[in-house]
Amino acid sequence: MHPHPSRRQFLGKMLALAGTGAMPFTLNLAAMGNAAAQNASDYKALVCLFMTGGNDHFNTVLPTDSGSWNEYQRIRNTGGTGSIALPGVGATGGVLPITPNSPQAGRSFALHPSLGPLKQLFDAGRVGIVANVGTLIQPTTLVQFKAQSVQLPPRLFSHNDQQATWQSTQAETTATSGWGGRIADLVASGNSNATFTCISSAGNALFLAGRTVRQYQISGTSAAPITKLNESLFGMPAGSNPLRQIITAEPTNLFQKEHAAVVARAINSQAALSSGMLAAGSGVPDPTPYINPNTGVATVNPLAVQLQTVARIIGGRSALGARRQVFYVNLGTFDTHDYQLTTQADMLAKLAHAMAYFDGVMGNLQGANMRNQVTLFTASDFGRTFTSNGDGTDHGWGSHHFIMGGAVKGKDIYGSMPVTGLGHSLDVGSGSLLPTTSVDQYGATLASWFGLSATQIADVFPNIANFSNRNLGFMNAA
């Protein structure tokens, strides 16, 4: 049970435990709790792109006004092969200037040289940037942080705990559900098959763990079947294959009985998903290889393959009876304690290539423009320190993130870009940023676009009541 269940959640759990006779009423109760999703005739999807390891945002989105750039070079250009500073503004192969719609007085900005495809999407108005996002329980000042006079997220700077807190708003040891899964709980009744509400193409993800909805995990480019289930087996023709009967037969032992039921559901779900993806397959081209900026070699981009899978599932949404879906994809590792310049250049090249590929597919999915219905956003464990060890950086806190889609108010930076340097009012140590935007505010803005009410958003994001600004404004109205 959820530690603080609502009446609807409590009744739903009790009715589910009561047995199959209560199931129709349970489903009706869920539907009443989400009339918006039930009445929705449109389709929407959220795609969480998690950059595992903690992306260095200081080399991802860079202030380039003279004061900022000079300070950046002073601190990060340590000289020789150990420098992690990027080439100068306007230099060949240097950072890529961007011009946000809303200027920040006296500031100018650029993207990492590997983010060329993302710069094009930013300039086209389909990508925006949210500055200095991080795990927070309530607005916090540097004085409060140092005095420990307000409640802080648990175990800051820890990979596992900050991944868990980003994805669930709780520490790893206490997290039982993720905010993507909690959003899915509230919209699943609008899908004719709730099985395909939460889908991960990157293994088990806390982000997609719901209180009631379970995530569907998929690897590769299709839903993998049980080997030999629908083929000839030991000389017996496919039509007489006994494997299905063996593994789904209903025994008398209750544990075996439940296992057989789970296996049967898995078989049926795989068949349904494979059929839906097959129907969409011709409308989802294979991604082109990406170019490794360090070697110049063209190779397969695993993130683009994950997003191809997501696109094929979205293409099969009608066959799957899906109106609202939440997806999770993953790219790692960004934990650049060493070799940061080359490692991050390659990782960001994969990121930009995959996002541009996905944007292109959504722009013409089976002859339809799905960009307005699908929003992708990035997340990561944390940012990194501004100071360097001469070859890399350490674990930080706040970081900058991208949102992409036709419904995004792109070509802009949301939130105030922090001062470049050390010893300022957001520096909690070594240039690690005290966040000025919470994950709750970031997620609540996406949830609002997805169709959740203010009450539902408060249920998904328990800390949102601590923040006065609960919608950051980077999404167009539904």
Side-chain angles (χ1 to χ4, degrees), residues 184-208:
D185 288 335
L186 296 168
V187 299
S189 63
N191 297 336
S192 60
N193 188 342
T195 301
F196 304 118
T197 305
C198 286
I199 301 180
S200 169
S201 64
N204 186 49
L206 175 60
F207 174 74
L208 293 182

Side-chain angles (χ1 to χ4, degrees), residues 235-300:
M236 300 185 69
S240 303
N241 188 336
L243 182 58
R244 179 186 292 265
Q245 177 61 26
I246 291 171
I247 64 177
T248 62
E250 190 170 298
T252 56
N253 180 282
L254 291 178
F255 289 104
Q256 293 176 323
K257 187 184 185 78
E258 179 61 20
H259 177 266
V262 170
V263 172
R265 286 198 300 270
I267 292 171
N268 294 335
S269 296
Q270 184 275 329
L273 185 58
S274 294
S275 177
M277 293 177 69
L278 182 65
S282 60
V284 182
D286 292 337
T288 60
Y290 90 105
I291 307 297
N292 184 318
N294 302 312
T295 64
V297 174
T299 187
V300 174

Side-chain angles (χ1 to χ4, degrees), residues 336-356:
T336 51
H337 292 279
D338 302 293
Y339 309 111
Q340 177 164 307
L341 274 181
T342 53
T343 300
Q344 192 186 29
D346 185 41
M347 300 302 290
L348 292 180
K350 291 175 182 175
L351 178 79
H353 170 267
M355 289 177 65

